Every structure is written in structure tokens, then in C-alpha cells.
Amino acid sequence: MNTRIQPVLVLLLCALLLSSCASVYAGPATPTPANMAPVHVPKPGTTQPVLTLPATPALPTATFLPNAETLQVSIWVPPYLSETMGEALEEPLRGLFVSDEAQANIRLEVGAENTVSQWVYALATPFPSFLQGMSGDELLSRWQGAAAAPPLLMDPNTHAMLTAYWGTAGGDVRVVPREQLVDATWAQRPSLAIVPFDDLEPRWKVLPVDGLSPIHRDFDFASYRLTIPISLVSDPDRVALIQGNFLIPSSNLDPQKMTVVAVTGVTALVRATASAMEQRGLLYPAKDIRGWLLEADITHISNEVPFAADCPPPNPTQESM
């Protein structure tokens, strides 16, 4: 090799090495901030997929809930009434209650001054009872002490509600813990009880008062003697403010949530019954109970004896089937 060319080659190699180092090492790296993710920047002219970001969910609209400071009201509710309406009252409304009546500027109380709710009670007796009903005047007389036995039983809260509505009891009125009321009436039959409509259960027989019963479809709140009105009492502006911002239940009885079922038990349209049908008409057995059966949402009738086209004429004195 020509010795004059060797220095030139050495210089070229050094230049190449230096340029390679410069492309690999360009000084100390700048640290990526801890809160920043590295971003890939595409080369110019290259096609990149379109990135679709998920839609940001809409934030719920804030609902204004008035408070005592905004409304400038404080409500006194007698303890028995607070227990009566219980969880039926909205939580924000209960937040306006005060324990000292003197600090209140609005009252929720028994009375018809400005009725906002009607609490319904039922006159009940143990289911096997032969009692069929009572007039409102007689029931009030029993409460006041002018009528005789049987005793009238109720739980403490119902007693307090009726005392606020009818005045102090003077008759044979017995207060029994709520959870013991049904058993107590069954243990001392004959007996009567007054219970909130929403406390009714199958062991009770509900008795009409003045012919009205809360378990019937034609029930009239206004004419029923055991409907207790509940009012908001204060100046009209404060009352309107409460009624406009809070839901107060109109009653403990909602006819739209009640299902009426009529069950006749077994029937046997034979012998004496069939003989009466021949004399008075085929519809005779249903004459006095037709309204009850038509009023029900569900009517169940069990025919113990089948119908037969070739059935012989009925014999009212027949002893065998």
C-alpha cells in the first residue's frame, strides 16, 4: 500500500467515529417530569390512526334542598305524631324539627285547621268475632265512658293520637304495647281494638263504623269517624314554603296500593239451598253478598259440589249426598 495514503485513511476513520458518537450521544438527557407521560411524535408524512377519546359523562345537575337557615323555619312535632308518621316524612323535613316547642315557628299537629294529611285507623276485633259494626256515636261513647263492655284496646301511640283528637278517655280503654296488641285482644274476647290502617293483618276482622270500612272500595275519608286530620299551623307564607318544598304524605292509606281479595270458601248449592233457589230464583244465594264479590279485585269461589245437567230436583230434607 502507498504509505502516503495511510494518514488520509486514518483521518477519515477518525471523522467517521466522531460523527457516529455525535449521533448517539448528544449531551445529558433531560429528565421527564414525574407528572408528565412521554409522548410519541409521528414522523412527518406517516399516517397515524385516529384516536377516539371516550365521551366524558355529564355531571348530575345539583338539586337544591332548602335548609332551616334558608327557610327560616323550625317545626315542632309532638313525639307521638313524629312516631305516627315516622319514615313517611322526608329526611330534610325532619331536619327542621326542634325539641323545644317554644323555639318553633310552625307546628305539625292533630287538627283540621290546615289539613295536609289524613291518618286512617280501623276498628278491629279478633277474626272469629260475631260483631258486625258500630256507629261512630257509640264508639265515641265507649271512649268517653258512657258505653259498656267489651273493652277498647290500642297501642300507646294510637291512644295519644285519639286523645289529641277526642280528648281524654274515660271508658274501659286499655293501652297495650304495639307488638302485644293482637294477642291481647284474642286472649280476652270479646274485645275491640283501634289500630292504624297500615298495622292491619289477617288475624283482625275490620268492623265498619257508620257503615264505612277502610278496606272497601267505596271508602270515604271525610265521613269516616276514625280519620284523624293532621295540619301544618303557622302563618300562610311559612306553611306554603313547607308545602312547596317538602312532600308530606297525604295518608297512611293509598287506595291505589290496595288489593281486595274475596274468598267465599266452599259452596254447596244443593238440598235446602237448592230448594230455596228453585222458589226464589237461581241468583238468590248471592243476593246479599253480590256487592262484596263484585267490589273485589280477585274473587275466589270454591264449588264443593259440581254442577250436573241431569241433577234431580232438590230435596231440602235429604240427609245423604
Side-chain angles (χ1 to χ4, degrees), residues 265-290:
V266 295
T267 66
L269 304 179
V270 296
R271 293 179 296 225
T273 302
S275 179
M277 292 167 63
E278 292 290 337
Q279 298 174 32
R280 305 185 183 186
L282 295 180
L283 302 182
Y284 171 72
K287 177 182 176 182
D288 294 330
I289 62 172
R290 179 177 183 272

Side-chain angles (χ1 to χ4, degrees), residues 288-301:
D288 294 330
I289 62 172
R290 179 177 183 272
W292 298 343
L293 304 184
L294 290 177
E295 181 185 75
D297 298 293
I298 301 171
T299 295
H300 182 280
I301 301 173

Side-chain angles (χ1 to χ4, degrees), residues 159-180:
H159 183 266
M161 288 286 288
L162 286 172
T163 299
Y165 190 48
W166 281 347
T168 304
D172 189 2
V173 176
R174 305 177 191 180
V175 178
V176 179
R178 179 181 179 184
E179 63 277 7
Q180 301 174 19

Side-chain angles (χ1 to χ4, degrees), residues 67-294:
N67 53 40
E69 192 172 305
T70 305
L71 296 178
Q72 297 181 344
V73 298
S74 53
I75 306 173
W76 160 252
V77 181
Y80 62 84
L81 188 52
S82 178
E83 183 181 340
T84 295
M85 304 190 84
E87 294 302 319
L89 293 174
E90 288 186 342
E91 181 63 37
L93 181 61
R94 293 199 299 272
L96 303 180
F97 290 177
V98 293
S99 56
D100 185 357
E101 184 177 3
Q103 296 178 354
N105 52 27
I106 191 169
R107 302 189 311 278
L108 186 65
E109 60 183 29
V110 169
E113 180 176 336
N114 178 48
T115 303
V116 294
S117 184
Q118 300 179 92
W119 229 247
V120 177
Y121 291 78
L123 179 64
T125 189
F127 193 81
S129 172
F130 287 106
L131 295 173
Q132 296 300 313
M134 187 177 296
S135 71
D137 290 340
E138 182 183 355
L139 180 59
L140 184 58
S141 293
R142 288 178 180 272
W143 172 266
Q144 296 172 341
L152 194 57
L153 285 73
M154 61 197 68
D155 65 39
N157 193 256
T158 300
H159 183 266
M161 288 286 288
L162 286 172
T163 299
Y165 190 48
W166 281 347
T168 304
D172 189 2
V173 176
R174 305 177 191 180
V175 178
V176 179
R178 179 181 179 184
E179 63 277 7
Q180 301 174 19
L181 186 58
V182 179
D183 291 336
T185 55
W186 276 71
Q188 48 187 303
R189 290 180 283 170
S191 59
L192 293 167
I194 296 179
V195 298
F197 174 81
D198 44 319
D199 277 358
L200 289 175
E201 58 153 280
R203 286 186 291 172
W204 290 121
K205 174 183 178 180
V206 178
L207 301 178
V209 177
D210 293 328
L212 297 175
S213 171
I215 64 172
H216 289 170
R217 286 293 183 200
D218 59 355
F219 177 67
D220 180 5
F221 282 84
S223 302
Y224 186 59
R225 296 290 283 273
L226 285 175
T227 297
I228 298 183
I230 299 171
S231 290
L232 274 175
V233 181
S234 184
D235 62 83
D237 291 339
R238 283 199 177 96
V239 168
L241 201 58
I242 291 293
Q243 290 183 268
N245 286 286
F246 298 102
L247 176 64
I248 298 176
S250 60
S251 180
N252 60 336
L253 192 170
D254 183 351
Q256 300 303 316
K257 296 181 178 180
M258 182 171 66
T259 300
V260 178
V261 180
V263 181
T264 66
V266 295
T267 66
L269 304 179
V270 296
R271 293 179 296 225
T273 302
S275 179
M277 292 167 63
E278 292 290 337
Q279 298 174 32
R280 305 185 183 186
L282 295 180
L283 302 182
Y284 171 72
K287 177 182 176 182
D288 294 330
I289 62 172
R290 179 177 183 272
W292 298 343
L293 304 184
L294 290 177

